[in-house]
Amino acid sequence: MAEQLEEKHTYRVQGFSCANCAGKFEKNVKQLPNVEDAKVNFGASKISVYGEATVEDLEKAGSFENLKVEPERTTQSSTTEEKEQKEPFYQKYSTLLYSSLFMAFGFLSMFINGNDNIVTALLFIASMLVGGLSLLKTGLQNLVRFEFDMRTLMTIAVIGGVIIGEWAEVAVVVILFALSEELERFSMDRARKSIQSLMDIAPNKAIVKRFGQETTVHVNDIVIGDTMIVKPGQKIAMDGVIVGGSSSINQAAITGESVPVEKSEDDEVFAGTLNEEGHLEVKVTKLVDDTTLAKIIHLVEEAQAERAPSQAFVDRFAKYYTPIIMVIAALVAVLPPLFFEASWETWVYQGLAVLVVGCPCALVISTPISIVSAIGNAAKKGVLVKGGIYLEEIGGLKAIAFDKTGTLTKGVPVVTNIEMIDQVTDQKELLGKISALEKLSQHPLASAILKKADEEAVDYAKIAVDQFTSLTGKGIQGDIDGVTFYVGSPNLFNELGHLDTAVNKKIQTLQNEGKTVLVAGTKEKLQLILAVADEVREASQNVIQKLHRAGIEKTVMLTGDNTNTGNAIGKQVGVTDVRSELLPQDKLEVIRGLKDRHKQVAMVGDGVNDAPALAASTVGIAMGGAGTDTALETADVALMGDDLEKLPFLVKLSRKTLNTIKGNITFAIAIKVAALLLV
């Protein structure tokens, strides 16, 4: 095995249209000489080859779908992307466009010349050949190998349609199938590019202190032990430990924590997180390929690789239906002449009639029409479903996991409690002074306090503040009308000696509810307690209840926040389980555990830190408006209006669509059985 690992080569693959094609490509590569093993990662559009194979050999193995292969190198892949972006639309989708054009002319000719006209037939045949040549080629190969899937079923449908002269129907079936494949290929390409774009979250350059000089260097040139200088408002380029300074770090992209975290010396920081207010010196502890962000990218690719592509209902149906019809047709054609001395000519014709009657045109066309209708219906309601297979999977879900921040909550901190300790002072007046101080602050929670002041119609803009100072990691202070006011963490007032048992009890109660507590007052006395929290979406509780009523057995909330915050929010929204203090890899493990127990699991999230879990789940659902590009592209479904209410609607739509498909197939089979008996 050690030898195999040494000979492992990874290649990027362009052109996958479906999971079955990826499996076929993997099988072909394994059969190449000098190749010991091969593993396709369909989600990331990559193949790992153990052994020796040239790019030409690999492309030959993927020639059934014109796959393009190139070694995995960052510079080359980015160049390829540029080429892909520059390729004109008409050139990229020329096959589909020409096929549609021939079909349109075919319908025009049918209207003018009639259905039996030779020109009409030739136009539809041209449409069918242009749009479905690769489909027919693969379908015929499958027939020879006795592999029965949707493509084989399509090929039988086309052959049957041609025999009975239904040119128009055949052309429509081929176009619909080609369109669905292009949509799936487009979604996969977007997902692959989004994984590569994850690297843009962290800056590719950083200021490094070497030999007493500050130099800007590329992250690839930074070594372990270097000291990075991170200024306020800058993103941290590498994982490391703070050796100088303190600040609030917004870690939402990596950990999903709703409120920025106070960090000081000896605390760990991650690449891709935002330094909000302080000046930091960070000692680098990991190389660029080993950072937490790099691990997230790796986790996303691995999770997509391990997610076995589910077989669509029609594929499972085709596996049995197609060979049964072919066997019945063959028996009708052969048995009477062999055993009852009947006419070969008569019974071969009868066998052909059975094949034509059993031709699955209606079955093939009913499924994509049901799926396309349902996807269109969902799109009108603000739900983007990236493929029919995901629509089908949603109906069978048994468990749904939710990210907390930005999904069940709004992801924006708001003031939830104001408690006056000093009953002599007017609350509105004191809130005005606090807001005047916070207006000058860069503290992440300042916006929540200012928003509250605006709601209360407090005029803080005219209040003059002198001697303003930021006490990094503790709070802020400033002079108003000759009196020094302080706003900050409870620790600040603990140092000033103003926290008695009663006040501590109030603070502890608020913190147990998952809220961040700020206190305000003067050097002489504590005057007010403020509680800030991430606000729960109005719809969250209602959505969870509807999902439980719809038969979803398990609803789990996943969060990077502390246990108190997680439990408080979980209780409020009504989920069955809460998992707190999770990093991206922990969320991934939770999803894997849920899949082991419940088989079909959805993940609903909105951030980069949710991407591995979204990729590993049976169906990944992203919050469209607030979600990051990475979450949107990694997910299979996007709720475009940030509206969780669409989730129960989606589950019902999926089940209804699946029932419609099964109903269509049952009805079509009943008609065919009757027709076969008549034949």
Side-chain angles (χ1 to χ4, degrees):
M1 188 64 195
E3 255 181 67
Q4 279 190 353
L5 288 173
E6 283 175 9
E7 294 177 357
K8 177 183 170 185
H9 304 282
T10 306
Y11 300 86
R12 292 263 172 205
V13 185
Q14 291 170 30
F16 282 143
S17 64
C18 65
N20 289 339
C21 310
K24 189 174 178 182
F25 177 54
E26 180 179 286
K27 191 177 172 185
N28 290 352
V29 172
K30 283 179 180 177
Q31 290 170 355
L32 291 173
N34 303 322
V35 172
E36 294 175 46
D37 196 12
K39 190 175 181 183
V40 165
N41 182 333
F42 177 57
S45 288
K46 288 158 71 171
I47 183 167
S48 298
V49 179
Y50 297 93
E52 292 296 327
T54 63
V55 170
E56 289 73 23
D57 290 337
L58 295 173
E59 288 191 344
K60 196 173 178 183
S63 60
F64 65 93
E65 209 181 13
N66 296 320
L67 298 178
K68 298 294 175 197
V69 180
E70 60 183 24
E72 187 183 33
R73 286 200 299 269
T74 310
T75 50
Q76 193 166 348
S77 63
S78 63
T79 309
T80 308
E81 278 181 33
E82 282 170 23
K83 283 180 186 173
E84 282 182 337
Q85 287 168 0
K86 286 177 184 175
E87 192 177 2
F89 177 85
Y90 68 86
Q91 196 173 323
K92 196 169 183 180
Y93 301 105
S94 57
T95 305
L96 196 58
L97 290 170
Y98 285 131
S99 181
S100 303
L101 198 63
F102 278 121
M103 187 178 73
F105 282 127
F107 279 113
L108 187 66
S109 176
M110 186 193 287
F111 179 73
I112 296 167
N113 304 316
N115 194 31
D116 298 328
N117 185 270
I118 185 69
V119 176
T120 304
L122 288 173
L123 284 167
F124 281 128
I125 289 169
S127 171
M128 180 185 71
L129 290 174
V130 171
L133 199 60
S134 64
L135 155 73
L136 293 169
K137 188 179 169 186
T138 309
L140 289 169
Q141 286 173 348
N142 287 350
L143 274 173
V144 171
R145 295 171 187 158
F146 296 102
E147 293 173 4
F148 300 101
D149 61 7
M150 184 66 173
R151 289 182 172 220
T152 322
L153 190 63
M154 284 288 299
T155 304
I156 296 292
V158 169
I159 293 168
V162 168
I163 291 170
I164 60 177
E166 288 292 340
W167 313 108
E169 188 175 334
V170 169
V172 170
V173 166
V174 169
I175 290 273
L176 273 172
F177 190 79
L179 183 62
S180 69
E181 286 208 322
E182 282 299 342
L183 285 171
E184 193 169 350
R185 188 183 283 117
F186 176 74
S187 294
M188 287 312 306
D189 285 347
R190 289 284 296 273
R192 174 173 56 80
K193 287 174 187 173
S194 79
I195 294 169
Q196 292 172 345
S197 71
L198 266 174
M199 274 299 184
D200 296 338
I201 291 168
N204 58 10
K205 289 182 181 177
I207 301 169
V208 173
K209 200 184 208 177
R210 288 177 180 168
F211 312 111
Q213 298 288 322
E214 291 185 7
T215 319
T216 301
V217 296
H218 196 277
V219 288
N220 291 336
D221 301 323
I222 296 176
V223 296
I224 293 172
D226 271 342
T227 301
M228 287 189 306
I229 306 297
V230 188
K231 296 174 182 176
Q234 286 186 339
K235 279 189 174 181
I236 297 167
M238 306 281 283
D239 283 12
V241 173
I242 297 173
V243 291
S246 58
S247 181
S248 291
I249 307 289
N250 188 331
Q251 301 189 145
I254 304 297
T255 65
E257 289 167 282
S258 53
V259 176
V261 182
E262 300 292 339
K263 299 262 187 176
S264 55
E265 286 190 22
D266 298 330
D267 285 336
E268 190 179 9
V269 292
F270 306 112
T273 57
L274 180 65
N275 175 24
E276 300 247 336
E277 50 180 6
H279 185 281
L280 296 177
E281 290 189 9
V282 178
K283 184 182 176 183
V284 176
T285 55
K286 292 176 185 173
L287 294 173
V288 67
D289 291 335
D290 301 321
T291 63
T292 306
L293 182 60
K295 284 178 184 171
I296 291 176
I297 296 165
H298 180 68
L299 284 171
V300 172
E301 294 194 337
E302 289 301 307
Q304 289 192 327
E306 78 178 29
R307 176 169 63 176
S310 304
Q311 217 179 0
F313 175 76
V314 173
D315 268 341
R316 295 196 297 273
F317 173 79
K319 196 174 177 182
Y320 302 104
Y321 177 83
T322 309
I324 286 170
I325 287 295
M326 290 175 70
V327 167
I328 291 172
L331 291 174
V332 167
V334 172
L335 289 181
L338 279 179
F339 294 102
F340 303 104
E341 297 181 1
S343 163
W344 277 98
E345 187 181 345
T346 304
W347 284 98
V348 166
Y349 182 83
Q350 289 287 72
L352 194 60
V354 168
L355 188 65
V356 171
V357 170
C359 161
C361 290
L363 302 178
V364 170
I365 204 166
S366 69
T367 301
I369 284 176
S370 300
I371 294 286
V372 168
S373 299
I375 289 175
N377 186 4
K380 283 178 190 173
K381 297 281 199 305
V383 180
L384 176 65
V385 183
K386 295 185 182 178
I389 185 67
Y390 308 121
L391 191 71
E392 290 184 28
E393 294 283 12
I394 290 163
L397 290 175
K398 294 287 182 285
I400 301 180
F402 295 85
D403 171 49
K404 179 185 82 70
T405 308
T407 303
L408 291 174
T409 66
K410 293 179 180 177
V412 180
V414 293
V415 175
T416 56
N417 302 75
I418 298 179
E419 288 201 33
M420 291 297 296
I421 306 299
D422 178 12
Q423 301 300 334
V424 179
T425 311
D426 179 66
Q427 180 178 312
K428 205 166 182 180
E429 183 187 332
L430 187 54
L431 184 58
K433 290 174 181 177
I434 292 167
S435 302
L437 284 166
E438 290 290 359
K439 190 185 174 189
L440 303 173
S441 164
Q442 291 182 320
H443 196 277
L445 302 181
S447 59
I449 295 168
L450 295 178
K451 187 182 175 187
K452 182 67 176 176
D454 291 335
E455 287 172 5
E456 300 280 330
V458 175
D459 188 6
Y460 55 85
K462 293 176 183 175
I463 299 174
V465 179
D466 299 317
Q467 305 295 318
F468 176 82
T469 309
S470 178
L471 309 168
T472 307
K474 295 178 184 176
I476 52 176
Q477 72 176 64
D479 295 348
I480 298 173
D481 298 330
V483 180
T484 304
F485 283 88
Y486 295 85
V487 185
S489 67
N491 288 340
L492 174 62
F493 278 82
N494 199 28
E495 289 175 14
L496 294 171
H498 295 322
L499 295 189
D500 57 28
T501 308
V503 171
N504 269 325
K505 195 175 178 183
K506 285 181 180 179
I507 291 170
Q508 190 63 49
T509 303
L510 290 167
Q511 287 176 336
N512 288 343
E513 292 171 6
K515 296 168 182 176
T516 302
V517 177
L518 295 173
V519 286
T522 64
K523 198 173 271 188
E524 286 71 39
K525 58 182 174 181
L526 177 67
Q527 294 177 296
L528 176 142
I529 296 175
L530 277 167
V532 179
D534 187 5
E535 194 175 15
V536 174
R537 289 178 187 270
E538 292 83 356
S540 294
Q541 188 177 11
N542 189 32
V543 166
I544 299 297
Q545 286 174 353
K546 282 182 179 177
L547 290 172
H548 287 159
R549 284 200 295 270
I552 303 296
E553 296 166 9
K554 189 99 170 167
T555 50
V556 186
M557 189 183 83
L558 314 180
T559 178
D561 280 342
N562 62 62
T563 307
N564 285 341
T565 303
N567 289 341
I569 301 292
K571 190 177 179 184
Q572 198 174 336
V573 298
V575 291
T576 57
D577 196 7
V578 176
R579 308 287 178 88
S580 305
E581 299 178 19
L582 303 177
L583 288 171
Q585 57 266 37
D586 301 324
K587 290 185 179 182
L588 179 60
E589 287 306 317
V590 172
I591 293 296
R592 284 173 176 161
L594 288 170
K595 280 179 82 174
D596 288 341
R597 287 191 295 278
H598 301 281
K599 305 302 178 197
Q600 288 180 288
V601 178
M603 169 71 191
V604 188
D606 74 315
V608 172
N609 60 304
D610 302 320
L614 287 168
S617 58
T618 314
V619 182
I621 303 169
M623 300 296 284
T628 59
D629 289 345
T630 303
L632 289 173
E633 299 300 350
T634 309
D636 310 308
V637 178
L639 307 178
M640 297 313 293
D642 262 0
D643 187 1
L644 272 179
E645 290 277 7
K646 301 291 186 257
L647 206 50
F649 154 76
L650 193 58
V651 172
K652 286 177 184 173
L653 179 69
S654 170
R655 289 173 181 174
K656 191 175 179 183
T657 304
L658 210 50
N659 288 337
T660 303
I661 291 170
K662 288 174 181 176
N664 287 346
I665 287 173
T666 305
F667 181 71
I669 288 175
I671 295 294
K672 286 183 185 300
V673 168
L676 285 170
L677 292 172
L678 289 170
V679 167

